[in-house]
Amino acid sequence: MSTKNFSQASFKIAKIALGGAVLFGLGAVTMAYAETKPLATVEKVELDKYLGTWYEVARKPLQFQNKCDRDVTATYTLNENGNVKVDNRCLKKDGSQTQSVGEAYIQNPPYNSKLKVSFLPEAIRWIPVGRGDYWILKLDDNYQTVLVGEPKRKYMWVLSRTPQPDPAVVNEYLDYAKSVGFDLSDLIQTKQSVR
């Protein structure tokens, strides 16, 4: 290969590498911007429509859910003090059920889209520590599918009123999660044996 041809080939390779670096940089900047941009919630949640049982469809890994193998549900009921009782259940690999009962505190009434959840023992739950953010980010008008997350974008769940929702709807919610800065590379698709 002549020096001229070698120089042209080197220049082309450098252009391709530079183009790739620019695209990668733009992608990283876009993701960083999405992650630092304030996380928007839905405008308003009608609590009476939100209560009841939801089936987990997908989630980002969360330590206290490590033991869950399948059939993850969350049931929300209003308790006597106006807070929301949270009853999370799942099946472990050995088929036994595990349960966590907590309480959710509405942070932005009357909009009800930002809650703090505590799974501390009931006697000390009133202490405002150990509470996790539970923000309602996307919710359909019929209260059939919801995307829940928290402002640091570390945790996220897609929940449905049915254990086997339409995959197109689930993908719409996951695409939305990505668009607001959630990294879904570690997404767990929840197994639901209930039909």
Side-chain angles (χ1 to χ4, degrees):
M1 184 185 291
S2 71
T3 307
K4 183 179 177 185
N5 288 343
F6 181 75
S7 294
Q8 287 176 338
S10 296
F11 181 70
K12 284 181 183 176
I13 291 169
K15 274 176 64 176
I16 291 168
L18 180 62
V22 167
L23 285 175
F24 178 78
L26 286 173
V29 166
T30 301
M31 185 58 98
Y33 173 74
E35 288 175 3
T36 56
K37 188 178 171 186
L39 190 59
T41 62
V42 296
E43 191 174 320
K44 186 170 184 177
V45 176
E46 293 183 45
L47 222 46
D48 58 328
K49 289 184 182 180
Y50 195 82
L51 299 175
T53 299
W54 292 88
Y55 295 88
E56 183 184 274
V57 177
R59 72 175 183 267
K60 284 182 64 64
L62 183 62
Q63 187 174 354
F64 78 78
Q65 281 192 271
N66 284 348
K67 58 189 174 278
C68 292
D69 180 61
R70 64 188 184 281
D71 298 336
V72 182
T73 61
T75 302
Y76 306 114
T77 53
L78 213 53
N79 62 22
E80 63 282 349
N81 60 13
N83 293 327
V84 178
K85 178 184 174 186
V86 180
D87 185 349
N88 290 339
R89 298 177 187 217
C90 68
L91 292 182
K92 298 190 224 177
K93 283 191 179 188
D94 65 6
S96 64
Q97 187 181 74
T98 183
Q99 179 183 25
S100 295
V101 176
E103 192 167 2
Y105 305 82
I106 296 165
Q107 302 298 295
N108 64 338
Y111 305 105
N112 309 326
S113 59
K114 294 181 180 181
L115 297 93
K116 290 270 191 187
V117 180
S118 173
F119 288 96
L120 290 173
E122 193 171 354
I124 59 169
R125 234 180 250 156
W126 59 270
I127 302 170
V129 295
R131 294 181 182 179
D133 287 307
Y134 181 105
W135 288 15
I136 299 169
L137 309 176
K138 182 173 171 62
L139 176 65
D140 70 294
D141 292 340
N142 297 318
Y143 287 67
Q144 296 300 300
T145 311
V146 65
L147 173 68
V148 178
E150 53 82 42
K152 292 181 182 172
R153 296 165 174 85
K154 190 172 180 185
Y155 306 120
M156 181 223 73
W157 299 265
V158 176
L159 308 175
S160 172
R161 292 294 190 183
T162 62
Q164 308 292 338
D166 180 347
V169 173
V170 175
N171 286 335
E172 175 193 331
Y173 278 70
L174 293 175
D175 286 345
Y176 181 78
K178 274 193 242 177
S179 78
V180 295
F182 284 93
D183 174 9
L184 302 186
S185 62
D186 55 356
L187 185 75
I188 296 169
Q189 301 273 353
T190 310
K191 294 177 278 186
Q192 292 284 356
S193 55
V194 181
R195 293 279 167 194

